[in-house]
Amino acid sequence: MANTYMDAYLRYMDSKGIKYRTLDDRCVRVAYNCENIKTVAVLVLFDKNGKNLVQFVCTEVANFKDNKYAAGLVLCNSLNAKYRWCKFYLDKDSDLLVEADALVEMNTVGAECAEMVSRMVDIIDGAYPDIMRANLGLN
């Protein structure tokens, strides 16, 4: 099923010269080089039924396996209190994930999604020193 919201987003990205990679008929990967973390890649997931719901996910941030799990949970709680635009959590593999959801409008979906990706990248890059300190047990 074609996703008109995704199509509109891709047209916007093309018009702005922003590089991306389409992973399937509802997922786009956008990656940015940052100051604190080398690369932040955000998956932009459009609703499978073509509704105006979009999910933003970053899965490649850090891992808090073994004795680092508790520190990862404390960190997620701290980051969730500090940043309101996205949520931080540990998945079943102890990977730190960052997510956000948005309702978009057809005439502004490109700008809305680009802004959410940019905001998410800035938050992750800003939080990365704290993430690494917690991961190394320096907090």
Side-chain angles (χ1 to χ4, degrees), residues 1 14 22 35 37 41-42 66-67 79 90-91 99 120 135:
M1 167 195 270
D14 290 339
T22 304
E35 185 176 324
I37 183 173
V42 177
D66 304 323
N67 61 344
L79 295 175
L90 299 181
D91 71 1
E99 291 186 357
M120 189 175 216
N135 197 298

Side-chain angles (χ1 to χ4, degrees), residues 15-51:
S15 75
K16 299 296 182 185
I18 301 171
K19 294 181 182 182
Y20 61 87
R21 189 171 79 209
T22 304
L23 301 182
D24 61 31
D25 64 347
R26 62 182 283 273
C27 182
V28 178
R29 182 180 187 274
V30 184
Y32 288 93
N33 295 326
C34 297
E35 185 176 324
N36 296 311
I37 183 173
K38 183 177 179 181
T39 303
V40 174
V42 177
L43 301 177
V44 182
L45 300 155
F46 292 86
D47 184 75
K48 65 182 175 183
N49 298 315
K51 295 182 180 177

Side-chain angles (χ1 to χ4, degrees), residues 105-119:
E105 296 295 327
M106 181 56 72
N107 59 340
T108 56
V109 64
E112 289 174 301
C113 288
E115 174 63 25
M116 283 299 295
V117 168
S118 176
R119 190 175 298 256

Side-chain angles (χ1 to χ4, degrees), residues 80-111:
N80 285 329
K82 185 175 182 178
Y83 299 105
R84 66 180 176 167
W85 290 101
C86 52
K87 67 180 177 185
F88 295 79
Y89 68 97
L90 299 181
D91 71 1
K92 63 181 168 105
D93 297 321
S94 302
D95 291 324
L96 176 67
L97 275 64
V98 186
E99 291 186 357
D101 300 311
L103 290 173
V104 295
E105 296 295 327
M106 181 56 72
N107 59 340
T108 56
V109 64

